Amino acid sequence: MKHGRALIRLACAFFSFAFLCFRGSAQIAPTTHELPLRIIVAADEPAAREVLERLAKGEDFGAIAKEKSIDPTGQSGGYTGLVDPSSLRSELREALQGLAPGKLSKIVHIPEGYAILEIAPSSQIATSENATLSQPAVLSALQARGAIRFTPDVSGIIEAQSALVKSAKPPGWGEDLKEVCQTRRDTYRNAIKRMESMLSPSNSAQLSDQDPLDLTQEYYGLGQLYAYGGRMDEAIGEYLKGYEIAKDLSPDAVPTFDQELGVAYLHRSEMTNGIYDAPGDRCLIPPAANMSFQKKEDSLKAVEYFHKYLQQVPDDLAIRWLLNYAYMTLGRYPDGVPKQFLIPLSAFESKEPAPHFVDVAEKVGLRLKSMAGGVIVDDFENNGLLDVVTSSMNMCEHLHYFHNNGDGTFTDRSEKAGLADQLGGLNMIQADYNNDGCMDILVLRGGWEIPMRKSLLRGNCNGTFTDVTKQAGLADPPTATQSAVWADINNDGWLDLFVATEHGPAQLFLNNGDGTFKNIAHTAGVDQTAFSKGVVSADYDNDGYPDFYVSVYGGNNFLYHNNHDNTFSEVASQAGVVGPHYTFPSWFFDYDNDGWPDLLVNSYFVSVDESVRTISNLPHNALTTKLYHNERNGSFRDVTSEVGLDKVYMPMGANFGDIDNDGFLDIYIGNGYPNYAALIPHFLFRNHDGKYFTDVTAATGTGELHKGHAVAFADLARNGNEDILTVTGGATPGDAHAFRLFENPGKGNDWLNVKLVGSKSNRAAVGARIKVTVENEGKNLRSIYRTVGSGGSFGASPLEQHIGLGKSAQILSLEVWWPTSKTRQNFTEVPKDQFLEIGEFEPKYIKLEHNEVTLGGRQPTTTEIKK
């Protein structure tokens, strides 16, 4: 059993790079050897030494954790709950050996930073537990029905990231993108060389003297490094070497390797069959009737190893699901799947019809195979056409700028755009920060990794950009982040910037109005330190000033109420939106059209088992996504269950739009995490009149199986229907995938597209509100509300607002409220199915010309609208 646990602990790390397999109250399995741990993680070694000195002098551990720790547990005084030492990283496990309760460990270097551990003394356990249990999100997690089950990692992400983090770096390293790229390449290559040298047959004498368990771990580690780069032949070879040793060590070790080998063979099968380069319908769930790989050898091996594992652990839903998928690749689903392991297609069936989307990315020229990354869709050339910009987590891949040719196709003009040297970037957002009428781009880097520089790219209105990061004051210090949001916090007409970080205090940059920014996070009261994964903005209490919501992975979320004086008050607890405890993409949107922004907070549990439970309508052990309804009194009500969103997935990129133009906002969720076992389809949920959501993934054909990152909704064809764009691909080079553009066929409902142009308010009109009052045939009057913004926290839709109106709509009025001037415009006799531009203070709207095109075609249908 000891050896089996040791092997399992190798694979329990996942993308958070956390020191635990899963921090917090959700444990992998109960154990009689759990310890009450407290931890403080500092960003660098000098800070850790300072903390250790203060602790040695008798200062309170919990107080220092709250003040100094960059780990989410700092909010609870560093208390992690009861932890099985075998689930810890090896360096932390070693630091605990011989440590008595109340004594401090040495400083331990981990990917997250520099850690100091303490086994909490009995006198402190009750206090720590009470502090933790007082948090609603954690309390709910403790009440879960069972243990959350994780699948051993096959991806090499931890091993490759560890090599990068531990490498020596010169001062200012994170500011030079080319040096960042080269360091990534060098550290990965050197890590492989070291392991290959260590395990070389020429070292047979030393290898024969090694402890078999250590040797097994080394083979596994080298296999992981190969898997990271997509070298699955070599990876499988190393896994098999470790497998042979493990079989002799202990039967308990074998099932873990059976899982890993099944996943590795399945991933190699997908790569061999070109699934990541030209996916077509082969990546969609439910599968097409004729879905079958041409080369079947590796899928057969995957089935073999999954069967071996399930013979010993038949109730593992994750492996059962992967077995079903492996049979799909063989063309033998469902009849070939043993009945006791079959997951029927009925689990994926849509309960209602919906428009069927088709992927046309290749057809239109959006030819891109990429790792995880961001996407922006907007008009960067001021010609009325929507261009597409993408980024990649790959530190050596430049941004891609796809110019809209106006005929339903795109051309990659990245170099001409000046983006060839803009490397990396997990996410991006757009805005006109300097009010010059040109759309700008902010590139965010270091998310899940280590601090790196941001890039502020000033748009030149012609599809080219100039890097002004340093001049603007945004270059220093580098941060690890993938989420930020633009908002005019003081209504002075200039957009300010909130940056949510992972290893240090959040940043709030006040726009000075001269092209520069000043970080006021501390005086504003928003400089919390947490593993923040999303930040969004809205005026949730309709007092005329934008507020912020920050989603945190492994801690309480934050709701910052704007005090109208460049300061904020944290009110998440009072407002009832603290949880769930592990979150990722989030957003404000008015899902029921009552004029008040509601809040969607996606839970993020990297467990294939939990996602399959949702798909199979089985009880969850993890916290579900939360939809909070705005109660119009400064508080929110949890309506998750009543609207049908009480689900547990692994959402990364996600956003909202109106797929059928009925006036109610729908949701598209891209799932996954780095493990090659994380094969969970994306999901599309249709909003029914603001009352409930229905899964229409199967009917729409949008159930892409591979990693879903940034998502945007946009009317690329200018035909009044919002298409869905998503960066598809994982966090490793071996999991890069083709971009997806799902074309919306339309449903025949009416629509309106409104572009707002501020004069006293910010030029891009971010935060301005639109109210459209319509009458549909046979129905009562209703109002539809939109707020100008790019949508969710991972993926950016256009700032122009697409508004579905429903069937046979008559627009009775169009009202616009401007945040800086506090003025309202009201227009009547507004035509439907048009593109309009409205300037602040202007008495009339402008009808914009637009060409309706066929995506990927060169025979556009021209609809000319006279001004």
Side-chain angles (χ1 to χ4, degrees), residues 745-813:
K747 193 179 179 181
N749 286 342
D750 295 316
W751 53 274
L752 189 67
N753 188 292
V754 180
K755 178 182 178 180
L756 299 182
V757 180
S759 54
K760 188 174 182 180
S761 299
N762 69 87
R763 180 71 178 262
V766 172
R769 304 179 204 159
I770 302 169
K771 176 184 177 182
V772 182
T773 301
V774 300
E775 183 175 15
N776 298 99
E777 184 178 353
K779 295 187 178 181
N780 297 327
L781 296 183
R782 63 174 175 137
S783 294
I784 302 168
Y785 298 85
R786 297 290 183 269
T787 300
V788 177
S790 58
S793 58
F794 199 171
S797 301
L799 295 183
E800 65 178 35
Q801 293 300 295
H802 177 90
I803 306 169
L805 304 174
K807 186 177 182 180
S808 304
Q810 179 183 357
I811 301 174
L812 302 183
S813 69

Side-chain angles (χ1 to χ4, degrees), residues 719-853:
N719 61 6
N721 300 303
E722 285 192 294
D723 311 300
I724 301 175
L725 302 91
T726 176
V727 174
T728 306
T732 71
D735 212 11
H737 192 283
F739 187 86
R740 289 289 206 177
L741 165 57
F742 292 108
E743 181 181 14
N744 190 335
K747 193 179 179 181
N749 286 342
D750 295 316
W751 53 274
L752 189 67
N753 188 292
V754 180
K755 178 182 178 180
L756 299 182
V757 180
S759 54
K760 188 174 182 180
S761 299
N762 69 87
R763 180 71 178 262
V766 172
R769 304 179 204 159
I770 302 169
K771 176 184 177 182
V772 182
T773 301
V774 300
E775 183 175 15
N776 298 99
E777 184 178 353
K779 295 187 178 181
N780 297 327
L781 296 183
R782 63 174 175 137
S783 294
I784 302 168
Y785 298 85
R786 297 290 183 269
T787 300
V788 177
S790 58
S793 58
F794 199 171
S797 301
L799 295 183
E800 65 178 35
Q801 293 300 295
H802 177 90
I803 306 169
L805 304 174
K807 186 177 182 180
S808 304
Q810 179 183 357
I811 301 174
L812 302 183
S813 69
L814 169 61
E815 184 178 301
V816 181
W817 177 85
W818 296 89
T820 297
S821 62
K822 301 291 193 294
T823 57
R824 295 184 186 275
Q825 296 163 291
N826 202 316
F827 303 95
T828 57
E829 300 182 1
V830 178
K832 63 185 180 181
D833 302 339
Q834 308 293 339
F835 290 80
L836 306 181
E837 181 179 299
I838 299 174
E840 189 175 12
F841 303 121
E842 295 296 327
K844 296 181 180 180
Y845 57 79
I846 299 173
K847 293 183 184 178
L848 301 176
E849 296 181 354
H850 70 283
N851 291 327
E852 181 180 327
V853 301

Side-chain angles (χ1 to χ4, degrees), residues 261-273:
L261 283 164
V263 171
Y265 275 113
L266 184 58
H267 190 71
R268 188 169 75 172
S269 182
E270 291 183 314
M271 295 181 73
T272 301
N273 285 277

Side-chain angles (χ1 to χ4, degrees), residues 23-25 72-73 75-76 132 135 137-138 141 552-557 578-583 603-605 623:
R23 283 182 300 213
S25 54
T73 57
Q75 300 169 56
S76 302
T132 303
Q135 301 169 7
V138 181
V552 175
Y553 184 72
N556 286 349
N557 302 321
V578 169
H581 199 54
Y582 286 84
T583 57
S603 70
Y604 186 64
F605 285 84
L623 294 173

